[in-house]
Amino acid sequence: MERSPPQSPGPGKAGDAPNRRSGHVRGARVLSPPGRRARLSSPGPSRSSEAREELRRHLVGLIERSRVVIFSKSYCPHSTRVKELFSSLGVECNVLELDQVDDGARVQEVLSEITNQKTVPNIFVNKVHVGGCDQTFQAYQSGLLQKLLQEDLAYDYDLIIIGGGSGGLSCAKEAAILGKKVMVLDFVVPSPQGTSWGLGGTCVNVGCIPKKLMHQAALLGQALCDSRKFGWEYNQQVRHNWETMTKAIQNHISSLNWGYRLSLREKAVAYVNSYGEFVEHHKIKATNKKGQETYYTAAQFVIATGERPRYLGIQGDKEYCITSDDLFSLPYCPGKTLVVGASYVALECAGFLAGFGLDVTVMVRSILLRGFDQEMAEKVGSYMEQHGVKFLRKFIPVMVQQLEKGSPGKLKVLAKSTEGTETIEGVYNTVLLAIGRDSCTRKIGLEKIGVKINEKSGKIPVNDVEQTNVPYVYAVGDILEDKPELTPVAIQSGKLLAQRLFGASLEKIYHTLFWPLEWTVAGRENNTCYAKIICNKFDHDRVIGFHILGPNAGEVTQGFAAAMKCGLTKQLLDDTIGIHPTCGEVFTTLEITKSSGLDITQKGCCG
Amino acid sequence: MEDQAGQRDYDLLVVGGGSGGLACAKEAAQLGRKVAVVDYVEPSPQGTRWGLGGTCVNVGCIPKKLMHQAALLGGLIQDAPNYGWEVAQPVPHDWRKMAEAVQNHVKSLNWGHRVQLQDRKVKYFNIKASFVDEHTVCGVAKGGKEILLSADHIIIATGGRPRYPTHIEGALEYGITSDDIFWLKESPGKTLVVGASYVALECAGFLTGIGLDTTIMMRSIPLRGFDQQMSSMVIEHMASHGTRFLRGCAPSRVRRLPDGQLQVTWEDSTTGKEDTGTFDTVLWAIGRVPDTRSLNLEKAGVDTSPDTQKILVDSREATSVPHIYAIGDVVEGRPELTPIAIMAGRLLVQRLFGGSSDLMDYDNVPTTVFTPLEYGCVGLSEEEAVARHGQEHVEVYHAHYKPLEFTVAGRDASQCYVKMVCLREPPQLVLGLHFLGPNAGEVTQGFALGIKCGASYAQVMRTVGIHPTCSEEVVKLRISKRSGLDPTVTGCCG
């Protein structure tokens, strides 16, 4: 009569078997007579994903209908303590003893998928996952539990999301598709220079999108130079008009802002253009532009407030400097520009500004592109230097003074060496700070409900399911602590760092210089573009790092990232046929290891 | 026999100095063998000739992609004012300047190949070769001087040349092919391209792009063997960007008019009527024939296909004569692509002299057609996937997307499209990927590896996108054709 499957994962499903942690769970089987056992799911092929899905629906239904659910085991002393706690509070609980139902083991598996908690007891109060025994008692002591119990099910919303950027919006739309009542609060606090923007967050308004469009504008400048060599004829000196470009880019962004509004409306997500901050448990205050305050409640919250550029904290910085928040909608050409910082934001901005023909200097405190492969980072830097960007290494600004007002005006920057007492002075039209970004987590009332943040970084620690220490509050995006900052390159360099830390001899590096075919006729420099892969010698030459410096690097890298996901090895690279003539094909013919020290300049067109 | 073997001139003789032949020669030399390469370019009917390196370098991939780039730059010049660059339009194009720059680059590559052979001590003969017996080749130099070369192993890598129509009056006298177009000193002017191969579409594409009045005449379907939905979108895009199409038409006659223009007569198979038009240039791009006729293969006993004249080989690239091998476009049933010839050549030499037993894998070959809107593909077409696995076992994910660069430039993105052909059964193994858009070659290369690694739809979906690029559209493919939902991508992210 024993119907529940053996508890060790079968060979066919090793990939999705939950990691059961403790021995006592395994031992908790079958003590009561079969006649008493309840079944939670219909019989049938016990491992089929359909049955599993049905069980999941059943559990979610149980959690949604009940005031309190305790997933328990009849002999577990922690479960008993929790049951006693609720009974002392006079609260009736829905208790499911997993050792007394037929498919208790599978219930536990599904529960661990839903909550990332593998042990019992596992407690839900008014749909909120409170956690195990310890968390429940903590919540009781802090008063949160009583608060959760008081709430009847009449919250205004199932989910309120604070922050309408890429993360928040996708979360909102997904929840709405799943039939939830969702609200998004988004409010852009104007930058110190007074810049603000519409719905969509950093990426759309002051990040990836305008950045890549300005990058494209700069590439077009290069293409115009190339085109003469390819037979296109025009004699006049081509000038770049900042206003025309910025207007076109801002028009595109407005259409994207509008598109987001529309898609929220289509999915029946409530959008409020107000600043959200927690005032008490499950309750948020929304303040609009006019200062009017409205209060909303929700069962669950997602914090997706992202980050904003950091200032230096020196005399004159907030008054006279701009950041990436301002640059893309600047109504006038920035002129001679000092970019402070060595992040990718700094280098990208410096790159396209120089591409428009502006005089650009980058002031760098220490290394370029921290966290990225440093050989590649230095190559990026020297390419920029060859193309007219000046670098001031090992200096930090100490004061910014306005010499002249205007559009742009004139600013004097005083900087000091990081290594000695030397100071330098320079005059620029614009100073752009790109020294890092700070999480927007300190002014949203997190302390009112006890959500922990890292006091130093302002980032929010979460568990594997993005849950904060307050069970009903989740967080996504750039504000997460210890989570990779989006780009797969960052993830990869983390792996690389580990490789370097735990044994440099593990890796074999293949590399080559190459000359994009399009650059040959254009007479652009040879021996600039560079490709390298890093392989783990002791894991079948598995490719653990992939780096390319050259045109269309994003388009090239994407597919290889997918291949790395599938366990790419050097052998498979070698077996792959190149697409000729492209830049991507160099990765199929990498032969020279770095340790060989052989010449890597490219000769001929093929092989 | 043993004694004779010791007396032969070379360990390896390579006939043909194209990509495949040169790769073989260099690889064998690196393994310490005594190697010779013979190469000779028979001038085209129009008298065009070129240097060492074969089709790819001289009259194929390289000049083709450079002229494609010239055409793309024309498009970028039109975009530039939208991005703030003050360029007075329209900007005229000078063929001579482009052709000279392209030809100079090709000549530098010819020279590079010579130097590389010298560096590796490979003997190079600029002679026209034919077999005397199964170990000996006779070469005739330009002056008519003959030379005999013998070798233990011989690799035939003579490639192919453009086909001329045989029954069309004036085709040979007045028509040119891809052997000539890249070496023209003067602009071809108003051009008729005959054919529907990728060569035809690519040439017509860049000619249109540099501002020439260009017409393609095709008898039946474009890009036979490629995914037909993608192929028709390629054509749509070209048509909307100024290339004229005469579909279902076949030429019957070419005549030179007194003013020097060419009058072409054709038959329209749908109406059955005859029609004529005048052009400055007629370019035949109706296929290629293997360069085997002058090799005297029968003297060595090497078998060829009676239909195609291509050389028959086994999976080890061996011909009917065990020590004579063939690689590249001259071989029956192989994809005619430079990287295929190179890889097959290297693997062959590794097996001959390097103790390897690795065979060339001809599955999942990626390639890109450099039409104005580029088409990159790897793996099966949708038709082929359905034919092999059945409609009910195939799931196709697709999306119409708009490259970010197109937005500000106000370009039409109707044909920017990506589709992934998968098995329907989880985890939905990827069978093919088809990408229509800018930089398609660069996008496709990495995914070719993914497919080589046995990528599933699930794995591709778990790959983080690189934002904002076109290739991230591949890892965001959520809409299946079967669902019938609108596959148009909106917004910038997610």
Side-chain angles (χ1 to χ4, degrees), chain A residues 105-133:
Chain A
R106 288 175 53 225
V107 172
Q108 207 163 347
E109 280 177 19
V110 173
L111 266 181
S112 91
E113 282 168 20
I114 298 174
T115 64
N116 203 40
Q117 179 189 327
K118 291 147 196 152
T119 54
V120 291
N122 198 337
I123 296 105
F124 290 83
V125 177
N126 277 333
K127 297 192 259 183
V128 173
H129 177 232
V130 178
C133 179

Side-chain angles (χ1 to χ4, degrees), chain A residues 239-246 333 356, chain B residues 81-86:
Chain A
R239 293 166 53 88
H240 185 258
N241 185 319
W242 174 274
E243 289 83 0
T244 310
M245 172 189 69
T246 313
C333 178
F356 305 145
Chain B
N82 293 301
Y83 281 92
W85 294 101
E86 296 172 337

Side-chain angles (χ1 to χ4, degrees), chain B residues 418-442:
Chain B
V418 53
K419 82 173 170 184
M420 190 154 71
V421 182
C422 306
L423 279 178
R424 201 175 172 195
E425 179 77 9
Q428 302 189 295
L429 212 66
V430 180
L431 302 173
L433 178 71
H434 302 270
F435 181 93
L436 201 51
N439 305 305
E442 310 296 357

Side-chain angles (χ1 to χ4, degrees), chain B residues 213-461:
Chain B
D213 182 338
T214 310
T215 305
I216 293 185
M217 185 182 294
M218 56 171 83
R219 212 175 36 195
S220 66
I221 60 164
L223 295 177
R224 189 179 298 279
F226 287 88
D227 186 285
Q228 281 302 300
Q229 183 196 5
M230 304 303 283
S231 302
S232 51
M233 291 175 89
V234 167
I235 297 284
E236 258 172 50
H237 179 269
M238 289 180 71
S240 69
H241 285 72
T243 307
R244 298 171 206 270
F245 283 87
L246 289 167
R247 300 192 65 163
C249 297
S252 49
R253 188 164 71 236
V254 182
R255 283 192 183 145
R256 191 184 282 286
L257 298 174
D259 64 358
Q261 279 203 307
L262 301 174
Q263 185 187 54
V264 181
T265 308
W266 64 84
E267 199 166 303
D268 188 328
S269 66
T270 47
T271 61
K273 280 188 191 150
E274 234 185 37
D275 212 340
T276 62
T278 54
F279 302 90
D280 298 311
T281 300
V282 175
L283 176 81
W284 304 107
I286 54 170
R288 297 174 65 82
V289 286
D291 219 356
T292 49
R293 258 164 235 166
S294 59
L295 285 174
N296 270 337
L297 290 175
E298 58 289 349
K299 288 243 172 103
V302 172
D303 290 344
T304 56
S305 154
D307 300 335
T308 61
Q309 269 70 56
K310 289 191 171 187
I311 296 173
L312 302 169
V313 300
D314 62 16
S315 62
R316 297 172 302 115
E317 329 295 354
T319 67
S320 49
V321 183
H323 65 269
I324 300 180
Y325 303 84
I327 57 154
D329 295 0
V330 77
V331 179
E332 173 75 9
R334 303 285 197 228
E336 297 183 8
L337 295 167
T338 297
I340 292 257
I342 293 174
M343 194 184 286
R346 285 215 180 120
L347 289 171
L348 167 60
V349 169
Q350 284 290 344
R351 289 195 299 271
L352 288 179
F353 305 120
S356 154
S357 57
D358 290 346
L359 293 177
M360 175 78 186
D361 174 8
Y362 288 96
D363 276 343
N364 292 323
V365 172
T367 190
T368 292
V369 181
F370 291 97
T371 35
L373 195 64
E374 299 169 8
Y375 166 33
C377 63
V378 53
L380 302 184
S381 65
E382 190 175 343
E383 296 87 6
E384 182 64 26
V386 167
R388 282 198 204 176
H389 300 280
Q391 185 83 54
E392 67 279 15
H393 297 297
V394 173
E395 192 81 282
V396 177
Y397 293 93
H398 65 160
H400 278 285
Y401 67 98
K402 186 161 197 170
L404 180 61
E405 298 84 340
F406 281 29
T407 56
V408 163
R411 284 210 215 180
D412 174 42
S414 311
Q415 285 89 19
C416 290
Y417 179 72
V418 53
K419 82 173 170 184
M420 190 154 71
V421 182
C422 306
L423 279 178
R424 201 175 172 195
E425 179 77 9
Q428 302 189 295
L429 212 66
V430 180
L431 302 173
L433 178 71
H434 302 270
F435 181 93
L436 201 51
N439 305 305
E442 310 296 357
V443 171
T444 311
Q445 184 74 76
F447 288 102
L449 260 165
I451 289 178
K452 198 104 195 155
C453 300
S456 65
Y457 173 73
Q459 280 168 318
V460 174
M461 288 308 108

Side-chain angles (χ1 to χ4, degrees), chain B residues 118-168:
Chain B
Q118 218 157 28
D119 284 351
R120 299 191 194 190
K121 309 216 160 31
V122 173
K123 188 81 183 144
Y124 163 64
F125 296 95
N126 184 204
I127 53 176
K128 187 175 176 177
S130 59
F131 280 91
V132 176
D133 64 42
E134 59 174 35
H135 279 289
T136 315
V137 160
C138 170
V140 185
K142 255 185 216 158
K145 208 179 124 196
E146 290 195 5
I147 175 172
L148 284 179
L149 302 169
S150 62
D152 293 343
H153 301 276
I154 299 175
I155 297 177
I156 305 168
T158 47
R161 296 291 289 270
R163 181 200 307 275
Y164 268 93
T166 42
H167 300 299
I168 298 175

Side-chain angles (χ1 to χ4, degrees), chain A residues 504-508 535-542 595:
Chain A
S505 68
L506 282 177
E507 10 174 276
K508 198 149 71 182
C535 305
N536 184 345
K537 275 193 217 170
F538 297 112
D539 185 13
H540 309 96
D541 270 346
R542 192 170 299 283
S595 54

Side-chain angles (χ1 to χ4, degrees), chain A residues 214 241-251 328-330:
Chain A
M214 290 204 177
N241 185 319
W242 174 274
E243 289 83 0
T244 310
M245 172 189 69
T246 313
K247 209 172 137 199
I249 291 174
Q250 290 303 321
N251 281 344
F328 302 112
S329 57
L330 206 63

Side-chain angles (χ1 to χ4, degrees), chain A residues 44 50 403-404 480:
Chain A
E50 226 167 274
L403 299 178
E404 260 174 48
L480 297 189

